[in-house]
Amino acid sequence: MKSKQYFYYLTLLLTFLSGRNFAFAQDKGAVIGDVQDATGALPGVSIRLEGAAMGTITDPSGKFYFSNVPAGEQVIIFSFIGYEELKKQVTIPAGDRVNLGEIRMDEASMELEGVIVQSNYLPSQMRALSMQKKGLAIGNVLAADAVGKLPDRNAAEAVQRVPGVSITRYRGEGQMAIVRGTPMEWNAMLINGSRLPAGSTYSGGTRSTGLDVFPSELIEFASVTKALTPDMEGDAIGGSINLQTRRMAAEKSLDISLGAGYNEKGQQPGYNFSAVFQDRYLDGKLGLIASASSWSRGVTQDNQNINYNYMVEEAPTYSISNMELRQYRGQRTTIGAYLATDYEINEDHHLYARGTFNRMGEDYKTRQYTFNFDGDYAEMLTRRNDAYTDLFGGEIEGEHQLGKGWKLDWKGSYYETGSLMGTPLDNEYMDYGLPFTYFRQNDVSYGGRSNDGFKYLAMDSPNGVGDRAGSILPHNEVALDPELMNLNMLILMGVEGREADQVFQMNLQNQLTENFKIKFGGKYRVKEHEMTTGQALYLSMAGLGIPGMPVYPLSGFETEALPQRNSYLREMGSPYGDVLLPHMTMGELDQTANWVNSPEGQAAFMDLTNTDNLLLSNTIAREQVTAGYMMGEWHINSKLDFVGGMRYEHTAVQMDGYDMDEEGQLTAVSPKNNYHSLLPMGHLKYAANEQTNLRAAYTRTFARPNFSQLNPSTSTNMGQNGLPMVSGGNMNLRPTYAHNFDLMVEHFFQDIGLMSAGVFFKQLDDVIYTNASQEMVDGTLTTFHRPENSNGGWLAGLELAFSKRLTFLPGWASGFGIDMNYTYTASELEMPLADGTMVYEPLKNQPKHIYNASLYYERNGLMLRMAANYKGAFISEYRLEAGAAHYQWYDKNFMLDFSAAYSVSDRVKIYAELNNLTNSPLVYFHGVSDRPEKVEYYGIRGQLGMRFNLF
């Protein structure tokens, strides 16, 4: 009720401030039009009245509506970074408007000593900088060619070039985006302003959205907003990333790109294809855009995982429990299709419709060797995976000039993400489930141990005996033998996820006076979330020690050598080739998964499937969000603007799950929760001169709890210390809130470029963490893990950016340019331990240092670019009870990419791309960087192709 009163009084206040006259004065009129250049619409063009401060900008489609212009003869000035300023003398009718139609602007050639420097990619850079310069909020923009000119094949890898953005990687490719070091679920991933659903099986019930499913070819603009305005969704503490697809067709054209690729680690080929067609019909009233893309590439990944003992009574701390050697090898394919149409009913009313389908699929084989030093045995795992993630949906929207300066826009949308890790499509033997087979050889003794009988790194060993990081060997004293390596366990597993968003929203705005614009609107969203796991577990009776049971040695199956066995982990010197036995073939794997349910299989393997635990792990949720906002834009004077207002969001969520009582009986439960979020926001923008802006902002934002954290079910497992561990969700969690303070100065160079510096601070309240508590249950010490709200914390940082074309250099050297940005972040969270002690730690997944640097050369149709990305080390997993010395860290990472393009003619270009030139590994470590937990190598990949503009 209190929140509603605040919103009511805010409405009255803004109505009072907006002035008394909501209609056009009879001595005022309006100007409308459409600004374009030779390549299409120009968004962010500055339009102002000569001799006055009032003005407006073009929208993403290049259109503008300039109201409250004094009647009579006026000069309208159009300006855009890198373009010739344009002046139009117009007669403004009193109480009416004039339509200027299409206004064509031309690029300004930059001359230096008689040499004209021209670039194929300059228009996209100018679009991005102009949108950033004129934008109301603090953020950054990437335009379509700016995405395409970097060697980035998905949206995640494109946005990592933006200051303050880092990404996580999966199979060596960008997947999740992180803004300003905040948790992934604290960032909003949007498509055309609507939040992307997060139903991928890789999201694990979080609100994190993987961007690897979205091909970069479908993006027209990618904007990263770091300080929100009230008309944006408020659940974005770190920031929001909006992928803007092509909205309005330009003149008839057909662009096709064809490429061939290669992965040197796996010696696997690939291909890339994309096509974009657009045209206008019915005398220009109807536009159509159709695009499609497909990118298939081989993926090979060599892994080494080291598991250390800690909090284990039977083993000393830092001794190595086991080592896993794993190879992933397969094919990933990303496809995308997009269809958009726009229709101009008349100059006052426009309709738009867009639809898209995208799939990221992978079919790969996993072959793993586990050397268990504590148990003196070895295992081999063979598995096959067919998985995909789909993102599809569409939207219908309208824009309407209602008269007297009022503009209404509305949109209805439906987007769904669905994913499945399930049966390979060509598997003829079983109906459902990924097959995992585990072979085990007992009585495998290992050398290289310390004097206490345990295996260590030399740095941790009591007597200095051990391996060094980067050369950890099993030192088998008993060779692995196919005759002794027996089938021990078989698992069939499937994971299916789905999340769908239905959204309706509308906005109404008016330039009420020369210095004040009002805007208000609302949004209603219904979200459905499901994450379901299916698993069957079969254990060998012979392996359990039951006498007289048959055994099935690896030698009895058809096998195949590990691909590229002798070059496995060549970055470490390929030391494992002699101990890597052949694995069962994929055909044998499928047949064995089918055989386990035959009479012979049932007689030899015990079915230990626990359907109750599967039900407890599933999450089903329905969430309804109702939001409204009101904001104003005040032009205080010729240099100072203020944008501010209030946003209100009400969230109602219901979770369906199961509760297990003390006797192990399941009861279906459907708890509910709802909460209100009041979010004031204000921005000041001071134009020190035509090229320099100073910005300041205060915003309040929030992050909703993950669905996995709300799951009402509990499950019991055995912890590493051999004692029971009970885990469950918490339906009463509150959202995490942040008070955000931002300061930024940005200077735009006249000859294209940017220099900016900014600082930010976030005061965090009700941060969600996993609480651990202990109590005696039936005489057994039991640990309970449950998400709770902590007292809070803070996050602060610094962002620097510099982008400049070096046109001051003589002759051919004037084609060089540089792009650089650097981000520093620091944070602290307050978290209690099981005994009540408080600890203070940085946020997970928050690197202190991030930088991007690229050197490029563009001249006479040639483009060359070398791009570097660095991400510092950060905590990836807290182990609070064990202490900070046992935290898992993600190690610093440096990647170098190269791209080149050459315009053979106006219609034909050739391009080349090389990724990960340094073959940088992904490394996790245990406490200190000399103690690796996981090392992954992906190799170098590249593409060579051509782009054609057929008409």
Side-chain angles (χ1 to χ4, degrees), residues 28 49 75 91-92 132 293 302 324 382 396 428 441 455 473 505 515 538 553 675 751 824 832 864 868:
K28 300 287 181 68
L49 194 65
V75 175
T91 300
I92 308 297
Q132 179 174 334
S293 66
D302 291 348
E324 298 172 356
T382 306
I396 300 174
E428 58 182 297
Q441 180 177 336
K455 183 176 180 65
L473 301 175
Q505 64 186 64
N515 296 318
Y538 304 90
Y675 46 87
D751 55 350
Y824 172 83
L864 303 172

Side-chain angles (χ1 to χ4, degrees), residues 384 423-433 435 492 558 585-598:
R384 183 180 179 191
T423 305
L425 297 178
D426 59 351
N427 185 339
E428 58 182 297
Y429 298 106
M430 49 177 205
D431 296 327
Y432 183 77
L492 302 178
E558 182 181 349
T585 65
M586 294 300 119
E588 285 276 45
L589 175 67
D590 293 342
Q591 292 184 59
T592 303
N594 182 64
W595 167 85
V596 76
N597 283 312
S598 69

Side-chain angles (χ1 to χ4, degrees), residues 747-769:
H747 177 76
F748 297 85
F749 298 114
Q750 289 184 331
D751 55 350
I752 315 305
L754 166 71
M755 179 171 60
S756 66
V759 293
F760 59 89
F761 178 82
K762 299 176 182 293
Q763 180 64 50
L764 306 171
D765 298 314
D766 290 332
V767 177
I768 298 172
Y769 73 104

Side-chain angles (χ1 to χ4, degrees), residues 670-702:
S670 297
K672 299 179 181 180
N673 191 13
N674 66 82
Y675 46 87
H676 307 269
S677 302
L678 195 62
L679 310 171
M681 304 179 189
H683 295 251
L684 275 173
K685 178 182 173 183
Y686 178 75
N689 54 53
E690 184 64 25
Q691 281 75 46
T692 306
N693 292 328
L694 281 76
R695 299 177 183 266
Y698 162 75
T699 58
R700 187 174 191 245
T701 54
F702 72 111

